[in-house]
Each structure stands twice: as structure tokens, then as C-alpha cells.
Amino acid sequence: YAFADDIILGENISAGLIHTYVETDCPVMSCQSVEEHRKPALGILECTTRSGVHFISRFVEKPAPGTTTSNLASLGRYLVTPELRGHLAQTKVGRAGELWFADSVINMLGHGEPVCALPLSTGRWFTVGDPDGFADAVAAMRDLSWNYPEIRSMEAPSVMR
């Protein structure tokens, strides 16, 4: 599953999600460390590590300052299992009349069912749902394109000229 406003450059996170699922038979959420000031706008994962695998012990959606010491932010790439889909189906509509994916994960954890986290190892995550994030992603793509002549030589769409 993927949220459309999240872009990951430099890593095939889908392969990592599948690898972690094959290893654990658990749903998997991708994540990345973020700066302290960004935490209140994101879903933060508290984890324990067993045999090199991160298991989520707590998921705090948009935490108030000082309510979690973790800096691992959930990002919009997930491997959803039938068990997690079952929790999603039972999750009640929440804030702003929306069904929140985070609530289904929190529900699953509350029932003692394991959910794994997969931190990015080589890639970078950009959330493009706000102007600053979008500008950061465009700048990163521009910088990345210098390593790929086939991208540099592409003609810009007419709408951008």
C-alpha cells in the first residue's frame, strides 16, 4: 500500500517490505528518522529490535512534544496483511470523518498482534503534500538527475517551458 503524497528516492522500499514480511509473517510499515520539530505532524513509531527486526511497541499519531522519545516517523509505504485489513474493517471513522489507517495499526497493537517497522537504509523520504516538501523533492530529483544523463537530456513538458 502506498500514500500518493510520499516519495522515496534511492531505495526500493517495496523489496524491503516484502523481505521483512517473508522473514516475520507480520504487516510492515516503512519509516525514517526525522528531526524533533517534525514529530508533531507525523506518526511516530516506538520499536524494540529482535534479531535485527524492528517490532512496533507503540504508534503515536501526531504526538505532542515530550510524549515520545522516538524519532522514527511512519511513511506512506506499507505491506498490509489480511489480519491488518481485518482490523481496518473494524476501525471506526475518526477525526474529520476519515478512516485513519493509523487507528487500525494501533488497534492491532492493542490486541497484542505484532507489526514490524522497516527504517529506510539508503533512501530518502519526501512528503510532497505541502509546498516545502514538494520543493525539497524537486530539488532532490534535480540533484539526482546529474548522475543519470538520460534524465538530464529529457525535454521538459511544454507546460513547464
Side-chain angles (χ1 to χ4, degrees), residues 73-87:
S74 168
L75 56 106
R77 296 293 183 279
Y78 313 108
L79 192 143
V80 178
T81 61
E83 294 80 14
L84 183 52
R85 275 198 340 259
H87 283 278

Side-chain angles (χ1 to χ4, degrees), residues 19-160:
H19 175 79
T20 303
Y21 169 75
V22 166
E23 195 174 313
T24 64
D25 201 36
C26 297
V28 189
M29 302 177 71
S30 57
C31 56
Q32 177 175 295
S33 292
V34 295
E35 301 84 11
E36 189 72 25
H37 74 274
R38 293 188 61 203
K39 288 170 42 173
L42 302 167
I44 302 298
L45 307 177
E46 295 177 1
C47 299
T48 59
T49 304
R50 295 191 306 266
S51 301
V53 176
H54 292 76
F55 288 87
I56 301 170
S57 55
R58 184 172 172 229
F59 184 2
V60 187
E61 183 65 25
K62 297 179 176 43
T67 58
T68 180
T69 57
S70 176
N71 285 348
L72 278 180
S74 168
L75 56 106
R77 296 293 183 279
Y78 313 108
L79 192 143
V80 178
T81 61
E83 294 80 14
L84 183 52
R85 275 198 340 259
H87 283 278
L88 186 59
Q90 296 172 359
T91 300
K92 298 197 182 325
V93 172
R95 297 179 305 268
E98 290 185 41
L99 181 60
W100 290 80
F101 181 79
D103 291 342
S104 64
V105 174
I106 291 166
N107 186 23
M108 190 167 184
L109 292 170
H111 282 88
E113 297 174 60
V115 179
C116 293
L118 178 65
L120 291 177
S121 59
T122 60
R124 269 186 75 198
W125 163 49
F126 298 91
T127 182
V128 296
D130 63 75
D132 290 339
F134 182 78
D136 290 345
V138 168
M141 280 300 295
R142 181 198 59 229
D143 294 345
L144 183 64
S145 73
W146 287 111
N147 296 321
Y148 298 93
E150 64 276 14
I151 295 175
R152 274 198 328 267
S153 64
M154 291 175 66
E155 188 173 319
S158 61
V159 68
M160 296 181 72

